Amino acid sequence: MKELDMLVVGAGFAGIYQLYKAREAGLRVKVLEMGDGVGGTWFWNRYPGARCDVESLDYSYSFSRELEEEWEWSERYATQAEILRYINHVVDRFSLRPDIELNTKVVKAHFDEKANVWEVQTEAGEVYRARYLVMATGGLSVPQRPSLEGLDSFKGRWHHSARWPNEGVDFSGRKVVLIGTGSSGVQMVPVIAEQASHLTVLQRTANFSVPAHNVPFTPQALKAAKARYPERRAMGREAITGQFLNANTKTAAEMTEQEQMAELEYRWRGAGGGFRMLRTFADQMSNPETNRLVAEFARKKIHEIVKDPRKASILTPKDDLPFGGKRLSVDSNYYETFNKPHVDIVDVGAEPLVCATETGIRTTKQDIDCDDIVFATGFDALTGALKAIDLRGEGGLTIKEKWEQGPVSYLGLFISGFPNLFVVAGPGSPSVLSNMVHSIETHVDWIMRLLKHAQQHGVQRIGATQEAEDAWVQRCADEAAKTLYPKAKSWYMGDNIDGKPRLFMPFVAGVPLYRRIIEEVASNNYQGLQMS
Ligand code: NA7
């Protein structure tokens, strides 16, 4: 049995920063990580083409000016491999590795109400006791693969994007079927198409994807960007998603038709691109008319790029999907790849998957032969990782019971009935709608401030009150109801998992407002928390 002040689960961006800050504060702390390397999302998602959709200068820690100065990003959007190198660099630079236990999966965590500590057990049977338990388990860490009957009899290879073999997969000369067209599928398609002799993409729902306009950094460009780094970070902090996207402050109605088109083009083309498309008009995610303008523009672009009208029509999102309602994909040559004769698309919304066969995949209309099946079918988002653990709070309440109707929380940080437990960038906080690294730093800094307060006041148990949690859940729902997000069937809403309760999980009203709220909570003597 090991006694600690704090136990952190997960060695991704969140767990690593939490470790750094806890050690700085003099706490006895360890991080338990189930993978055999650090990096979290960036450790597991090694599929071909994996890349962050937030620009590297923003998707990186801001806590150390020296770190910012010395690390040289090579591209505007970093690849998975580069981000993993960065995370490993951070771990070594701040000598964090000795306090990270790899290959250590947490299976059980029970709150000991008498001692006010968490007792945590790993798969190997090791037991840790710690006053504080920090769940840095990530929002997209439990992969979801459809239970495809017959997969065992399939004679070829199959892989999930989030459990990609370390040594990579060579698709040269092979016939590949790829299932799923979220960000992972969209990133993989152009890269696999380079190798495969034939690639068939099975798409259930067409979503929007926009060009990344990724470019390598020249030394001059990087130097110029770094010279203005503090300014960039400051602008990021005040932007709705925690990264500066040059949001247009005008609603569509405040612009002429010509101005609207110019704005849309600017954002689609080089100067903009990527998530800037989500900030074309101030009322884009709240006004259906404005959203339709952007959606219609993007639909036309798909038809311009994809030459075969049949493929273009399958790839074009339907009218009932708001632009950005499902997470926007940010791509490099996704639509263009379908102009290659050996790349095809099948609408498995119209002809659903039936099973795998010995030689490939069967839909209700056809058999598709292949050598490899690639699943890019996503995750049990935001709640999967916590629910996978036998997590019990006061009175033996399990997280599965607590979250039966969906993930309730106070500020996305606390779960009432689970004292001394913090969720970093969890549901109920801006989380996946924001620049995750920024949200992680915000949460960890705030947790450390709270723990300092607790230490100064001899507090041993910190928990959210039921009233505070209920009010926060209502606030999150009210904010989401003002937007078009709930109109889309998406993993933000839990729609991708059978039986998952349908509710919009992240806090939608933006990073600056969220930060103001948690600041106010802290300055109001941690309103909504019970400390004893
Ligand atoms: P996503 O965005 O959840 O995408 C999963 C895709 O897989 C999506 O197109 C799904 O279609 C499709 N899917 C899932 N189950 C099935 C079945 N049973 N049959 C056919 N198609 C299916 O996951 P990603 O890994 O791409 O991206 C996750 C996030 O990681 C991403 O947003 C970034 O933040 C990084 P659907 O749309 O549900 O009809």
Side-chain angles (χ1 to χ4, degrees):
M1 165 124 53
K2 291 179 187 156
E3 304 263 353
L4 298 164
D5 298 313
M6 178 185 277
L7 191 68
V8 181
V9 187
F13 268 99
I16 287 166
Y17 185 52
Q18 181 61 76
L19 170 60
Y20 171 76
K21 291 301 282 187
R23 258 187 18 187
E24 190 185 55
L27 300 186
R28 293 170 303 155
V29 54
K30 284 267 179 236
V31 179
L32 306 185
E33 164 58 53
M34 72 177 195
D36 61 12
V38 300
T41 286
W42 302 104
F43 172 83
W44 295 105
N45 287 271
R46 313 182 195 104
Y47 60 81
R51 205 179 268 288
C52 189
D53 50 15
V54 174
E55 293 181 33
S56 40
L57 287 167
D58 302 312
Y59 194 86
S60 46
Y61 291 117
S62 68
F63 70 85
S64 161
R65 194 76 184 95
E66 296 75 30
L67 174 64
E68 276 179 351
E69 277 305 314
E70 74 199 13
W71 185 263
E72 304 269 298
W73 292 107
S74 64
E75 292 176 85
R76 184 173 172 195
Y77 293 92
T79 59
Q80 170 270 336
E82 187 167 21
I83 299 173
L84 196 57
R85 276 200 303 280
Y86 170 77
I87 296 175
N88 276 283
H89 167 75
V90 172
V91 166
D92 291 329
R93 190 191 190 285
F94 297 100
S95 311
L96 301 172
R97 222 171 275 278
D99 288 322
I100 303 173
E101 306 288 343
L102 300 175
N103 298 308
T104 306
K105 186 174 175 179
V106 169
V107 290
K108 204 161 143 182
H110 293 183
F111 187 62
D112 176 341
E113 294 184 55
K114 288 206 182 79
N116 292 318
V117 297
W118 281 92
E119 187 161 304
V120 175
Q121 197 181 310
T122 69
E123 200 171 39
E126 269 185 307
V127 177
Y128 293 81
R129 282 173 70 82
R131 165 109 329 139
Y132 300 112
L133 181 59
V134 178
M135 305 308 289
T137 39
L140 297 161
S141 38
V142 177
Q144 169 73 3
R145 178 176 66 73
S147 46
L148 198 58
E149 214 180 293
L151 192 58
D152 288 343
S153 64
F154 175 59
K155 295 253 162 62
R157 309 175 296 187
W158 67 264
H159 298 288
H160 189 286
S161 55
R163 290 292 179 269
W164 208 256
N166 213 356
E167 62 282 8
V169 179
D170 185 5
F171 290 108
S172 301
R174 295 174 72 90
K175 280 187 286 189
V176 181
V177 161
L178 183 147
I179 307 174
T181 52
S183 299
S184 305
V186 161
Q187 289 184 339
M188 268 192 279
V189 163
V191 183
I192 294 180
E194 295 278 321
Q195 285 188 344
S197 64
H198 196 276
L199 171 63
T200 309
V201 179
L202 307 190
Q203 172 197 275
R204 187 166 65 180
T205 316
N207 188 21
F208 294 97
S209 185
V210 296
H213 300 295
N214 184 35
V215 282
F217 277 125
T218 61
Q220 298 87 322
L222 196 58
K223 198 166 168 217
K226 283 190 177 181
R228 299 181 59 194
Y229 224 143
E231 197 184 330
R232 184 183 182 112
R233 296 287 196 190
M235 288 195 298
R237 272 196 295 279
E238 289 314 313
I240 185 161
T241 53
Q243 89 241 49
F244 181 66
L245 293 173
N246 203 8
N248 182 6
T249 52
K250 286 187 181 161
T251 64
E254 289 168 331
M255 301 168 80
T256 64
E257 227 170 279
Q258 211 177 6
E259 286 168 339
Q260 291 170 353
M261 283 315 291
E263 190 70 30
L264 284 160
E265 283 292 349
Y266 159 74
R267 281 168 191 275
W268 183 275
R269 289 177 193 284
F275 286 152
R276 284 174 184 78
M277 274 315 283
L278 290 169
R279 306 280 162 251
T280 311
F281 304 110
D283 58 341
Q284 181 171 333
M285 282 316 288
S286 56
N287 181 340
E289 286 308 311
T290 303
N291 189 283
R292 200 162 300 133
L293 207 64
V294 186
E296 206 37 54
F297 174 86
R299 280 196 279 263
K300 276 202 189 115
K301 287 287 181 198
I302 299 169
H303 277 273
E304 276 169 31
I305 301 169
V306 182
K307 302 302 173 207
D308 176 340
R310 180 189 63 85
K311 292 183 188 175
S313 144
I314 295 173
L315 285 161
T316 303
K318 305 262 185 307
D319 291 348
D320 59 355
L321 178 67
F323 183 93
K326 269 181 184 301
R327 188 180 173 100
L328 189 65
S329 292
V330 177
D331 73 85
S332 297
N333 297 321
Y334 176 62
Y335 293 120
E336 289 81 351
T337 301
F338 290 94
N339 290 331
K340 298 186 172 180
H342 72 292
V343 180
D344 201 3
I345 180 113
V346 172
D347 180 358
V348 291
E351 48 167 297
L353 294 174
V354 175
C355 61
T357 64
E358 282 188 15
T359 55
I361 290 278
R362 180 167 300 157
T363 75
T364 50
K365 287 202 180 144
Q366 58 179 317
D367 278 349
I368 306 165
D369 281 354
C370 64
D371 305 308
D372 296 296
I373 301 172
V374 174
F375 292 95
T377 44
F379 302 87
D380 184 356
L382 288 158
T383 56
L386 258 62
K387 281 178 140 185
I389 296 171
D390 173 11
L391 185 61
R392 289 170 199 241
E394 289 166 333
L397 179 70
T398 67
I399 191 71
K400 284 198 186 117
E401 289 160 350
K402 177 77 186 179
W403 280 4
E404 203 178 354
Q405 303 302 318
V408 291
S409 77
Y410 178 45
L411 307 173
L413 262 166
F414 303 92
I415 306 164
S416 159
F418 292 74
N420 294 0
L421 178 137
F422 311 109
V423 186
V424 181
S429 75
S431 60
V432 288
L433 287 184
S434 68
N435 170 5
M436 280 295 263
V437 185
H438 173 73
S439 286
I440 284 165
E441 287 186 324
T442 303
H443 265 178
V444 170
D445 290 346
W446 197 90
I447 291 168
M448 293 314 297
R449 192 166 138 199
L450 168 66
L451 297 190
K452 192 169 171 196
H453 172 93
Q455 194 191 18
Q456 284 164 350
H457 294 81
V459 170
Q460 298 200 347
R461 188 192 289 214
I462 307 169
T465 66
Q466 191 58 54
E467 300 71 52
E469 184 175 86
D470 291 345
W472 184 251
V473 169
Q474 191 56 50
R475 170 110 198 233
C476 289
D478 292 346
E479 295 291 355
K482 294 181 202 161
T483 74
L484 299 171
Y485 283 106
K487 302 233 176 305
K489 277 179 78 182
S490 69
W491 58 258
Y492 293 143
M493 296 290 300
D495 287 313
N496 64 329
I497 304 290
D498 287 343
K500 197 163 170 172
R502 190 163 202 274
L503 64 102
F504 191 77
M505 292 186 276
F507 175 77
V508 75
V511 161
L513 174 63
Y514 178 80
R515 235 192 4 260
R516 271 208 304 283
I517 293 170
I518 62 172
E519 276 298 315
E520 269 169 37
V521 166
S523 45
N524 278 335
N525 205 21
Y526 293 99
Q527 195 179 13
L529 296 182
Q530 236 163 11
M531 304 206 209
S532 53

